[in-house]
């Protein structure tokens, strides 16, 4: 099976059939034309990168094989690669070039629990039962980012373009962990602009406040154990404190602004009924449209925890594991991305791909509309209630978001269904189109000083109106053990599906 799909994968075949995205005549300059040609020439390599990361299927903070692989590929194309920044072994920072301007690609390569799935099977068919897998398509980000970076390097060398390009692969995006630590460590201090990269079923750019702020924190209660039948009066039940905290916040919900979100998981809820538990823990995510509002709600949650401990005679503590600001996209950068999207155009989907998409949509109860045929027009889309840890980057570097069309409309992420297509030709074509747009936009940022000036001016205005502050405690450390036990449990069985296919750019 190992990445073999129902659809043809050869870049030569795709190019011969005229189905790979390409710039319209007269809509690009020689520098972009060279970059696009480099991407088309290496379409198989870009696809292989995405497919390889797919089969690693690694969870946040445990992207060991994935980070090792992308490090090797980046070094093979001449990039200097640093790992271990801010104390995170699987963080990858790659860099090529010297001086200013410095443009950074910001993305991730982590998978999700329980996402294992046989590619192109519309029926639920895990490769390894209950194992992790890429059911959001983050695997495709690696191919898009590396393909674009390679192409930009070729153009910079040929045309003596000054500046530098960097790629930031942050660990554990799904747990909104790494970028606040990386911002705190000063990783982006030399960047002049950043492009946030993410898979989608549409091709478009975004600006404004694009998603929600989020604070992730575990609250732990300690009590006194006792026999639940013989002497419960001598016990102090830590799980009672967890329940009271949960109930207390539910009573608060009525009095919060309608923009808030809060959800929890009880991570330690007792051992057995006749043991008064001396340990209980509850993990909360608190979100809102801006960080100041999220922090205000979180502070109320802390008071509720204190009250729950007082009512049960327990002790308690909490730890903020992650705190991500909403993504701030700037219109000048988004306009540059959109101009390149309009020049490159959507992938040319085959009839087989459209037919498969409609069958898939029908099977999943979605409207059978097939794959999108037109890019999304530029516009300040409604703010999403989801969160991404790269939001913090956008408050220290002028940024915007680019989504590339590599998944099927109507198939929601964070479900096993989304793991069906990330190695298909649908994903591969979207990755090629995304690489071209990303490369073209980076070249614009490198060669158009007025674009960077406009972005900087808007950035200064936005960050003056809403000033960035760190929510992550100064002594907070990355949760290096996060997901370790899960990956150790499943990795041996997952290894037999790993690809053994070299990546060599030409």
């Amino acid at each position: 099976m190992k990445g073999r799909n129902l659809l043809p994968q050869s870049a030569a075949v795709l190019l011969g059939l005229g189905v790979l995205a390409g710039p319209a005549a007269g809509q690009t300059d020689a520098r972009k034309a060279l970059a696009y040609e480099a991407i088309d020439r290496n379409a198989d390599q870009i696809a292989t990168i995405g497919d390889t990361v797919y089969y690693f299927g690694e969870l946040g903070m445990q992207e060991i094989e994935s980070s090792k692989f992308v490090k090797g590929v980046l070094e093979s194309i001449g990039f200097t690669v640093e790992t271990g920044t801010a104390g995170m072994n699987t963080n990858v920072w790659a860099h090529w070039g010297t001086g200013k301007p410095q443009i950074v690609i910001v993305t991730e390569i982590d998978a999700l629990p329980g996402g294992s799935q046989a590619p192109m099977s519309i029926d639920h068919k895990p490769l390894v039962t209950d194992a992790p897998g890429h059911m959001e398509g983050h695997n495709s980000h690696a191919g898009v980012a590396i393909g674009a970076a390679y192409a930009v390097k070729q153009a910079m060398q040929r045309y003596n373009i000054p500046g530098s390009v960097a790629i930031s692969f942050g660990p554990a995006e799904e747990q909104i962990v790494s970028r606040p630590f990386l911002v705190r460590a000063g990783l982006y201090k030399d960047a002049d602009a950043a492009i946030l990269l993410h898979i989608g079923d549409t091709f478009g750019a975004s600006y404004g406040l694009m998603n929600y702020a989020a604070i992730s924190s575990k609250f732990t209660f300690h009590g006194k154990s006792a026999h639940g039948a013989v002497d419960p009066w001598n016990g102090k039940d830590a799980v009672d404190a967890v329940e009271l905290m949960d109930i207390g916040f539910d009573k608060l919900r009525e009095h919060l602004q309608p923009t808030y979100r809060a959800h929890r998981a009880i991570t330690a809820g007792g051992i057995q009924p006749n043991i008064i538990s001396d340990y209980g823990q509850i993990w909360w995510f608190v979100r809102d449209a801006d960080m100041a509002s999220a922090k205000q709600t979180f502070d109320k949650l802390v008071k509720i925890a204190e009250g729950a401990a007082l009512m049960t005679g327990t002790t308690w503590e909490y730890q903020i594991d992650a705190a991500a600001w909403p993504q701030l996209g700037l219109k000048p950068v988004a306009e540059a991305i959109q101009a390149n999207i309009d020049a490159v155009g959507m992938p040319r989907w085959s009839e087989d791909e459209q037919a498969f998409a409609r069958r898939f949509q029908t099977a999943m109860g979605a409207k059978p509309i097939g794959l999108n045929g037109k890019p999304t027009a530029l516009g300040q889309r409604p703010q999403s209630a989801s969160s991404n840890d790269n939001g913090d980057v956008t408050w220290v570097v002028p940024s915007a978001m680019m989504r590339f069309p590599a998944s099927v409309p109507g198939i929601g992420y964070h479900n096993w269904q989304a793991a069906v297509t990330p190695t298909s030709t649908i994903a591969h074509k979207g990755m090629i189109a995304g690489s071209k747009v990303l490369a073209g936009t980076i070249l614009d940022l490198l060669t158009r000083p007025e674009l960077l000036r406009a972005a900087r001016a808007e950035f200064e205005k936005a960050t003056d109106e809403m000033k960035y502050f760190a929510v992550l405690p100064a002594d907070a450390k990355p949760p290096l053990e996060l997901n370790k036990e899960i990956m150790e449990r499943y990795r041996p069985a997952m290894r037999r599906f790993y690809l053994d296919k070299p990546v060599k750019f030409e």
Side-chain angles (χ1 to χ4, degrees), residues 214-459:
I215 302 173
S216 168
S217 181
K218 293 185 178 75
F219 291 79
T220 305
F221 296 87
H222 303 277
K224 181 182 177 183
S225 184
H227 194 295
V230 176
D231 62 343
W233 43 83
N234 285 323
K236 295 180 180 180
D237 198 328
V239 176
D240 280 350
V242 166
E243 290 187 305
L244 285 167
M245 183 185 184
D246 197 12
I247 293 168
F249 191 82
D250 277 345
K251 296 302 180 185
L252 178 66
R253 291 179 188 273
E254 178 184 1
H255 309 290
L256 296 173
Q257 294 290 334
T259 53
Y260 94 96
R261 300 287 189 276
H263 23 277
R264 88 292 183 267
I266 296 175
T267 52
I271 302 171
Q272 64 185 51
N274 63 341
I275 298 175
I276 303 297
S277 181
D278 62 356
Y279 180 81
Q281 187 180 78
I282 185 168
W283 181 10
W284 284 90
F285 273 20
V286 174
R287 309 182 198 245
D288 215 316
D290 60 79
M291 182 53 84
S293 297
K295 182 64 165 57
Q296 186 178 58
T297 299
F298 180 78
D299 290 342
K300 293 178 181 178
L301 182 66
V302 171
K303 288 294 186 183
I304 291 170
E306 182 181 6
L310 286 171
M311 284 187 283
T312 55
T314 57
T315 60
W316 69 288
E317 72 265 358
Y318 73 93
Q319 171 183 315
I320 295 178
D321 294 318
W325 276 64
Q327 297 163 337
L328 172 65
L330 303 178
K331 190 173 183 180
V333 183
E335 287 175 334
I337 295 170
Q338 190 69 41
N340 282 280
I341 289 172
D342 293 340
V344 169
M346 289 290 289
R348 299 171 191 166
W349 310 117
S350 70
E351 283 303 316
D352 285 345
E353 289 163 339
Q354 289 284 15
F356 174 83
R358 289 190 291 269
R359 287 198 310 274
F360 192 12
Q361 289 160 339
T362 299
M364 296 302 121
K367 190 174 180 179
I369 60 174
L371 300 166
N372 284 313
K374 295 180 180 179
T376 302
L378 182 64
Q380 194 168 3
R381 67 179 176 87
Q383 186 176 9
S384 167
S386 65
S387 305
N388 187 306
D389 68 349
N390 61 30
D392 282 60
V393 177
T394 68
W395 293 87
V396 297
V397 182
S399 309
M401 165 71 77
M402 184 196 94
R403 291 187 179 272
F404 58 96
S407 61
V408 176
I411 308 300
Y413 299 142
H414 291 220
N415 295 291
W416 67 263
Q417 297 96 323
V420 170
T421 57
T423 64
S424 68
T425 54
I426 295 168
H428 295 165
K429 288 181 181 181
M431 290 163 65
I432 297 306
S435 286
K436 290 181 178 181
V437 169
L438 184 57
T441 306
I442 293 171
L443 287 170
D444 286 336
L445 290 165
L446 287 169
T447 59
R448 293 174 51 198
E450 74 282 2
L451 175 56
L452 284 179
R453 285 195 296 269
R456 173 57 64 174
E458 185 171 322
F459 174 79

Side-chain angles (χ1 to χ4, degrees), residues 87-99:
M88 291 176 283
N89 295 334
T90 57
N91 181 67
V92 177
W93 176 271
H95 180 269
W96 183 86
T98 56

